[in-house]
Amino acid sequence: MAEIGKGVTAGKLALNVQKRLSRAQEKVLQKLGKADETRDTAFEELVANFNKQMTEGSKVQRDLKAYLAAVKAMHDASRRLQDCLADMYEPDWFGKEEMDALVEEMIEKELDNNLEDTDTLWLGYHQNLTDKTLLCMDTYLAQFPEIKARIAKRERKLVDFDSARHHFASLQKGKKKDEAKIAKAEEELGRAQKIFEELNVELQDELPVLWDSRVGVYVGTFQSLAGQQDRFHKEMSKLSQNLNDVMTKLEEQRELKKDATAATKKGDGAKSEEANHSESTSPAPKSSVTNGSDAELPPGFLYKVKAVHEYTATDNDELELKVGDAVLVLAFDNPDEQDDGWLLGVKESHWFQKKDISAKGVFPENFTQKV
């Protein structure tokens, strides 16, 4: 007969159909209890471990891909945010040129690593995660489909072996023994047993090794992930600190302009007042200002600081700060009560309005800047 398909003749097709029918019949007899089934609990445990290992590895692979997608999304969001900052930064603000260069650097900063085609910090991070983390898991999982197919093949050959064993036993127990059929059945049994045992031995050797390899794969994968994260965030923290420095200078510029404007208005007001008073009364304001300057400061005043970060008080003895708040730093009544990195003070606005020293409180020194 002509070929049915490429590499498959009618004879081979018929043989495959016969094998499937024989296996199906054998499985039915085993389920009905009319034929015993060869069981290997040790191998079944190996298969259970294999399935567990494949499931867990696939989950790690999926989550790594989701993490990489999130990195890409964060990269896009960061780029848009930096572009927005560059667009809205006004020309007369402090560090306009520094800001433009900084934004450009944050977008195009090259990461010093071994990848030749890395041209941005974010892209370098994404590329490193792909090459050194995800590809490791891809290579690890690539071996599972072939082993899974061999496990399935072993199961089929085990059914063939059981079927040949039962067929040989039934011929031997028959009333009319046909030696030719018995010899053929014995030959088929030997062949089925050999094929099964070869597969069984190979898998019994390979599956435990594969099971033990998972620890090394996970260690390498997550160590690489942690290393790339650490390197990326260190590089990014440098750029973030630069941005914070520019913003701090901008706030200082704003405060200086505000103070200069207030001083100008105060000076204009003083000139106007002097013009409306007689010469006999002109010394009094000067003396009042001079004497009042020290009198207006709270007891124990040391120096003045300005808040550069917002601080929310967490206790009754703490001072809540908002960016730009001026604070008069005071000496502690008992120096032993002062904790490292903490200052005692009262807000300048509160003191000059109410002269109330009871509103003093402690606050973290690194949230302020001395003026």
Side-chain angles (χ1 to χ4, degrees):
M1 181 180 287
E3 284 189 347
I4 304 298
K6 185 177 181 180
V8 180
T9 64
K12 288 183 179 180
L13 184 61
L15 181 61
N16 288 336
V17 172
Q18 183 180 358
K19 283 184 177 181
R20 291 181 181 179
L21 290 174
S22 177
R23 289 167 185 159
Q25 182 180 12
E26 180 66 21
K27 296 298 290 183
V28 170
L29 291 174
Q30 289 175 353
K31 289 181 179 180
L32 294 175
K34 295 183 178 182
D36 63 303
E37 179 181 2
T38 300
R39 299 293 300 272
D40 187 342
T41 55
F43 187 82
E44 290 173 0
E45 183 177 347
L46 291 177
V47 173
N49 288 340
F50 171 82
N51 291 330
K52 179 177 183 289
Q53 185 178 2
M54 182 169 60
T55 300
E56 291 176 346
S58 298
K59 185 177 186 304
V60 172
Q61 184 188 47
R62 286 195 304 272
D63 289 343
L64 277 175
K65 289 180 178 179
Y67 181 83
L68 283 169
V71 168
K72 188 177 185 305
M74 188 64 184
H75 175 201
D76 294 338
S78 177
R79 180 185 291 272
R80 290 193 298 271
L81 185 60
Q82 299 305 328
D83 287 342
C84 176
L85 177 60
D87 291 340
M88 52 75 66
Y89 209 87
E90 298 180 11
D92 61 335
W93 286 1
F94 172 84
K96 170 61 176 173
E97 294 181 0
E98 290 88 341
M99 176 57 61
D100 290 342
L102 178 61
V103 170
E104 187 69 17
E105 184 183 17
M106 293 188 78
I107 295 176
E108 299 181 356
K109 170 83 175 173
E110 288 192 0
L111 180 64
D112 181 20
N113 56 30
N114 295 326
L115 296 174
E116 296 180 355
D117 295 331
T118 303
D119 59 358
T120 69
L121 187 60
W122 278 102
L123 287 178
Y125 181 44
H126 187 278
Q127 190 66 44
N128 282 334
L129 288 175
T130 300
D131 292 346
K132 299 179 181 179
T133 304
L134 182 60
L135 289 183
C136 177
M137 286 302 302
D138 290 345
T139 302
Y140 167 66
L141 290 173
Q143 59 190 322
F144 282 81
E146 186 269 338
I147 296 177
K148 184 178 181 181
R150 288 165 58 204
I151 291 174
K153 183 177 180 181
R154 175 197 177 276
E155 293 303 311
R156 294 194 300 271
K157 296 306 178 183
L158 178 58
V159 175
D160 291 344
F161 170 63
D162 282 343
S163 178
R165 182 167 55 83
H166 295 148
H167 179 59
F168 176 68
S170 65
L171 290 177
Q172 283 187 318
K173 293 178 182 179
K175 294 181 180 180
K176 295 182 180 181
K177 295 185 177 181
D178 188 331
E179 295 301 330
K181 288 185 177 180
I182 292 175
K184 184 179 180 181
E186 186 175 10
E187 182 181 347
E188 291 177 352
L189 174 59
R191 184 164 51 250
Q193 183 176 5
K194 181 181 178 181
I195 294 173
F196 165 72
E197 288 181 350
E198 286 178 352
L199 275 171
N200 189 54
V201 169
E202 288 177 0
L203 290 170
Q204 295 244 11
D205 291 339
E206 292 178 24
L207 290 178
V209 175
L210 179 64
W211 174 249
D212 290 339
S213 72
R214 74 195 191 285
V215 177
V217 170
Y218 292 151
V219 168
T221 297
F222 285 98
Q223 277 187 342
S224 174
L225 176 63
Q228 295 304 323
Q229 287 177 332
D230 180 63
R231 185 169 187 172
F232 170 76
H233 290 300
K234 282 181 179 177
E235 290 290 330
M236 187 58 72
S237 67
K238 295 176 184 178
L239 301 179
S240 298
Q241 183 58 49
N242 292 340
L243 176 61
N244 181 65
D245 292 343
V246 172
M247 293 295 102
T248 300
K249 292 293 185 182
L250 177 60
E251 173 62 19
E252 291 175 357
Q253 180 192 45
R254 185 182 73 87
E255 291 296 330
L256 287 172
K257 287 184 177 180
K258 186 166 54 173
D259 292 343
T261 302
T264 301
K265 290 182 178 179
K266 185 177 180 180
D268 293 342
K271 290 179 181 178
S272 176
E273 185 176 351
E274 287 176 2
N276 295 327
H277 284 71
S278 62
E279 291 183 0
S280 61
T281 59
S282 60
K286 182 177 179 181
S287 175
S288 175
V289 171
T290 303
N291 297 334
S293 175
D294 294 333
E296 287 179 350
L297 295 175
F301 169 76
L302 298 176
Y303 54 87
K304 186 168 74 170
V305 296
K306 187 165 294 184
V308 294
H309 300 290
E310 186 172 309
Y311 177 72
T312 302
T314 59
D315 208 342
N316 293 334
D317 66 340
E318 293 183 358
L319 194 65
E320 191 156 311
L321 302 177
K322 293 184 179 179
V323 175
D325 282 350
V327 182
L328 303 177
V329 178
L330 309 175
F332 279 80
D333 295 336
N334 183 359
D336 294 335
E337 295 179 355
Q338 182 175 5
D339 295 326
D340 290 341
W342 288 79
L343 299 175
L344 176 67
V346 61
K347 289 186 180 180
E348 185 181 50
S349 59
H350 181 86
W351 170 255
F352 286 128
Q353 289 175 7
K354 300 184 178 181
K355 300 295 188 298
D356 181 15
I357 195 66
S358 65
K360 65 183 178 180
V362 296
F363 57 93
E365 183 178 5
N366 59 356
F367 276 59
T368 63
Q369 188 174 45
K370 193 172 180 180
V371 295

